[in-house]
Amino acid sequence: MLKTLLGASLCFGVVHAHLAAWHKGMYCLNGNKAGQDLNSYDIVTPLYQLSFNDWWFHHVNGCDNYPPADGDYINLPAGGSFTIEIGSNRAKTSLSYGGRDMSDWPDGNTYPEDYNVPSCITSPNMHAQNRSMAAGTAFAISYQSDIKAVTPENLVVFSVRYNTPWKRVVVYDVPAAMPPCPAGGCICAWGWVPNNCGQPNMYHQPFRCRVSGSTSNTPLAAPKPPVWCENNSGACTKGAKQMVYWNQNERNNIWVSGYDAAGDFKSPTYNAKLGFKDGAQNDIFAGPASSGSSSSNSGSNSGSNSGSSSSNGGSSSNSGSSNSGSSNSGSSGSSSPSSNSNTSNDTPTNTSNNDTTNNLAPSSSSSSTTSGQKNSAPSCQNKRRRRRSLLDIDVSPIKRSNLIEGVKAHRRRASAAPAW
Ligand SMILES: *[C@@H]1O[C@H](CO)[C@@H](O)[C@H](O)[C@H]1NC(C)=O
Ligand SMILES: *[C@@H]1O[C@H](CO)[C@@H](O)[C@H](O)[C@H]1NC(C)=O
Ligand SMILES: *[C@@H]1O[C@H](CO)[C@@H](O)[C@H](O)[C@H]1NC(C)=O
Ligand SMILES: *[C@@H]1O[C@H](CO)[C@@H](O)[C@H](O)[C@H]1NC(C)=O
Ligand SMILES: *[C@@H]1O[C@H](CO)[C@@H](O)[C@H](O)[C@H]1NC(C)=O
């Protein structure tokens, strides 16, 4: 029986090399069906050209219906950091088999420190040529305890790590001024938008989380969508930003076209190109840090997470530096923890279904036959510089037909360019 499990774990890691963030506080830790558990990988499939209902929190395969066990959540120490693992399968992390099948890398294998594949690394499928090209990933938080109450408009990016995904272990920083969560905890999300090297998709997965050691009660500001601002920092969205939602059939919040400074097709990644700093996002608050009488954070910090400094005593020695530049002070003032839970006015605004052809390759690329195609194709990133076999592309089984349609449409359009 042990042998069966071992075989299964090795096999899954090879077949499905997509990546996700792993932590006991995640949804879908055990997968979406009975019997997977230690070998689950349902959460790793990328999200592409889906309806809002399907892409939001990976509902496409029901992952949002599988919350973590009671008491499991990511502990977010205000002003500190937390650790997650990036892996292709739970078996390749410390969460299975006591870490037997894990390595320093997301798929349990070993690679050179200066791993570099000019035609794109596909094992693990990190959508990059080398570390410096790795897109960046982000964590966001919503001060809602019910995952159903979380919307793009109350989910705020609070931490970014440049040049990830790369190795298995990733550490994210928490802003010092993070207020405490409601008694039932917060919902967090991990996001990744690859920087070319394959299907231009995205990753979006839910977690339970809680802030510990808060010294401020100032709530987060309402986040705005990020915008492309590479080499033009004045154009960046200032302050609290939403996660990046693109190339879906509904509720995209960013559209890009043309080339980035490196000469690749623009991809809206979690880094300076969208105005995200590396590390804690300290400009996301609705006003200056305020150490009111915070009380709701004490006590219930029984999470599975080590290193929690749960005491939220009156120490108001908040390192004030954290809140500079918060140009986003909408309605400042009241900063009681209870004011964090403002969903009622969260009716989603119409980030309307912008035709995804806006995301296609720049019009300069001899593609004038595109007109009339709706949602036609993956925008064929890299076609100038990189070729990929179909196998290199993130193919979610669910959307395989969609992709093949996309490939055909792409070939129709890009007759002059090499197909993939
Ligand atoms: C990383 O990949 C990019 C794109 O291929 C390349 O320009 C750069 O020189 C590479 N860096 C290293 C350290 O290999
Ligand atoms: C919460 O509500 C306040 C007051 O309406 C608003 O200023 C703030 O941006 C809201 N925050 C979020 C995260 O929705
Ligand atoms: C634009 O930004 C990139 C980094 O995103 C940098 O490498 C490049 O030198 C910049 N170009 C100019 C003209 O500033
Ligand atoms: C759709 O995309 C275009 C260009 O990419 C942008 O100008 C426009 O504002 C978007 N439409 C909506 C409704 O956001
Ligand atoms: C949202 O946008 C769609 C497409 O542009 C439009 O048909 C619809 O009326 C809009 N809905 C609202 C509530 O504005």
Side-chain angles (χ1 to χ4, degrees):
M1 162 158 174
L2 252 176
K3 274 188 179 150
T4 311
L5 287 176
L6 172 58
S9 75
L10 292 174
C11 171
F12 288 154
V14 171
V15 172
H16 273 274
H18 307 301
L19 303 178
W22 298 86
H23 185 283
K24 260 181 145 176
M26 70 190 288
Y27 282 67
C28 221
L29 173 69
N30 297 322
N32 65 9
K33 55 186 85 67
Q36 270 194 348
D37 298 349
L38 296 175
N39 267 304
S40 76
Y41 60 98
D42 296 300
I43 194 64
V44 308
T45 50
L47 305 167
Y48 182 65
Q49 293 189 342
L50 299 173
S51 67
F52 176 68
N53 187 47
D54 278 343
W55 65 255
W56 181 252
F57 285 147
H58 222 278
H59 182 70
V60 63
N61 62 356
C63 271
D64 55 334
N65 295 325
Y66 294 85
D70 281 350
D72 283 341
Y73 57 84
I74 305 179
N75 175 44
L76 309 175
S81 59
F82 64 101
T83 300
I84 59 95
E85 296 171 70
I86 293 194
S88 56
N89 182 308
R90 178 175 163 177
K92 307 301 181 181
T93 73
S94 67
L95 297 170
S96 291
Y97 312 118
R100 184 195 66 197
D101 295 348
M102 71 186 185
S103 72
D104 286 349
W105 297 83
D107 63 356
N109 295 320
T110 300
Y111 304 94
E113 280 302 308
D114 60 350
Y115 195 17
N116 179 43
V117 179
S119 59
C120 297
I121 293 169
T122 54
S123 293
N125 197 349
M126 49 178 71
H127 288 263
Q129 295 81 10
N130 52 53
R131 182 174 182 276
S132 74
M133 296 297 285
T137 58
F139 262 90
I141 189 168
S142 177
Y143 278 76
Q144 300 295 330
S145 305
D146 178 1
I147 190 172
K148 298 254 188 299
V150 182
T151 70
E153 291 76 25
N154 62 27
L155 185 58
V156 180
V157 175
F158 70 90
S159 194
V160 167
R161 187 52 73 214
Y162 283 7
N163 303 119
T164 59
W166 185 245
K167 296 267 188 97
R168 175 177 53 86
V169 173
V170 184
V171 177
Y172 295 88
D173 303 321
V174 182
M178 289 285 272
C181 291
C186 288
I187 298 292
C188 281
W190 181 79
W192 169 34
V193 173
N195 184 29
N196 296 304
C197 279
Q199 188 191 66
N201 48 42
M202 68 177 199
Y203 295 73
H204 189 247
Q205 62 178 106
F207 296 78
R208 281 198 182 129
C209 60
R210 283 171 187 266
V211 178
S212 62
S214 294
T215 56
S216 171
N217 286 313
T218 303
L220 274 54
K224 301 193 202 96
V227 297
W228 186 269
C229 60
E230 187 180 26
N231 295 60
N232 181 13
S233 60
C236 297
T237 299
K238 304 288 187 277
K241 289 183 264 303
Q242 296 178 10
M243 299 188 85
V244 177
Y245 307 126
W246 85 314
N247 278 343
Q248 305 306 317
N249 293 336
E250 291 176 294
R251 302 285 288 273
N252 295 320
N253 65 358
I254 188 166
W255 299 265
V256 293
S257 61
Y259 301 99
D260 65 14
D264 297 314
F265 289 119
K266 282 180 188 169
S267 190
T269 43
Y270 290 99
N271 55 43
K273 296 172 191 175
L274 297 189
F276 289 106
K277 295 197 172 80
D278 189 31
Q281 310 292 296
N282 288 315
D283 59 354
I284 59 176
F285 302 100
S290 95
S291 55
S293 55
S294 69
S295 53
S296 73
N297 197 24
S298 55
S300 65
N301 220 343
S302 60
S304 63
N305 226 340
S306 60
S308 70
S309 62
S310 64
S311 79
N312 192 19
S315 92
S316 57
S317 63
N318 187 14
S319 59
S321 68
S322 62
N323 220 356
S324 58
S326 74
S327 61
N328 217 352
S329 54
S331 71
S332 61
S334 90
S335 56
S336 78
S338 56
S339 73
N340 288 336
S341 54
N342 46 353
T343 34
S344 46
N345 59 352
D346 272 333
T347 317
T349 54
N350 198 359
T351 34
S352 74
N353 197 348
N354 213 335
D355 187 334
T356 50
T357 51
N358 283 330
N359 295 319
L360 293 174
S363 51
S364 60
S365 64
S366 77
S367 58
S368 51
T369 61
T370 319
S371 63
Q373 291 178 9
K374 296 205 85 182
N375 292 347
S376 52
S379 64
C380 300
Q381 318 276 309
N382 299 331
K383 77 182 167 204
R384 280 184 313 139
R385 298 180 19 177
R386 292 165 203 136
R387 298 176 194 198
R388 296 149 297 168
S389 75
L390 200 57
L391 287 177
D392 292 341
I393 304 165
D394 284 329
V395 182
S396 151
I398 302 149
K399 300 302 283 186
R400 193 181 175 89
S401 58
N402 191 344
L403 176 73
I404 288 167
E405 266 314 293
V407 171
K408 284 189 199 145
H410 171 69
R411 288 194 170 130
R412 259 179 266 130
R413 215 172 336 104
S415 47
W420 308 91

